[in-house]
Amino acid sequence: MGHQPSTHTHPRATEIMTVLEGSLEVGFVTSNLENRLITKILQKGDVFVFPVGLVHYQRNVGNGNVVAISDLSSQNPGVITIANAVFGSAPEIHSFLITFNRSSKQWQN
């Protein structure tokens, strides 16, 4: 199996992806406060744009390999892998902050 990137973001670039072979699920999460997941299944010839700074992913959903080309709008796009940033920080982020729910009583106090 080939490379399948973790959920990540590019803080300084928009990414455009073109599928050359296979089936690829792509998605990104809109900005606060809505935080809505937008997904699409791409087939050969389809193109998808990941807006700058938004958390996004790609996942092979076909039976075979996927071949895709990604281009970024900057020579220095940066990349932040979400799981590494949140769960691999040093010192670690307190679990209360990671699981914090805006509708909880703690938020309202």
Side-chain angles (χ1 to χ4, degrees):
M1 179 173 227
H3 175 70
Q4 189 159 304
S6 299
T7 303
H8 63 283
T9 184
H10 303 288
R12 296 180 295 277
T14 295
E15 181 176 356
I16 186 168
M17 177 175 283
T18 304
V19 176
L20 303 178
E21 178 182 315
S23 299
L24 192 65
E25 177 186 340
V26 296
F28 66 87
V29 179
T30 62
S31 301
N32 291 339
L33 291 167
E34 189 176 52
N35 291 327
R36 194 175 79 162
L37 177 62
I38 307 293
T39 64
K40 178 94 174 144
I41 304 294
L42 304 181
Q43 305 296 334
K44 180 178 180 177
D46 288 341
V47 176
F48 195 83
V49 175
F50 302 100
V52 63
L54 295 186
V55 173
H56 62 277
Y57 71 92
Q58 306 90 32
R59 182 171 70 101
N60 183 351
V61 293
N63 294 323
N65 292 327
V66 171
V67 178
I69 296 175
S70 285
D71 292 306
L72 296 156
S73 65
S74 170
Q75 292 179 355
N76 185 19
V79 65
I80 299 170
T81 305
I82 304 307
N84 292 348
V86 174
F87 300 109
S89 68
E92 71 179 38
I93 299 170
H94 191 281
S95 61
F96 171 77
L97 297 172
I98 295 171
T99 60
F100 190 67
N101 181 342
R102 285 181 291 180
S103 64
S104 72
K105 289 185 179 181
Q106 291 96 340
W107 180 260
Q108 297 167 5
N109 290 336

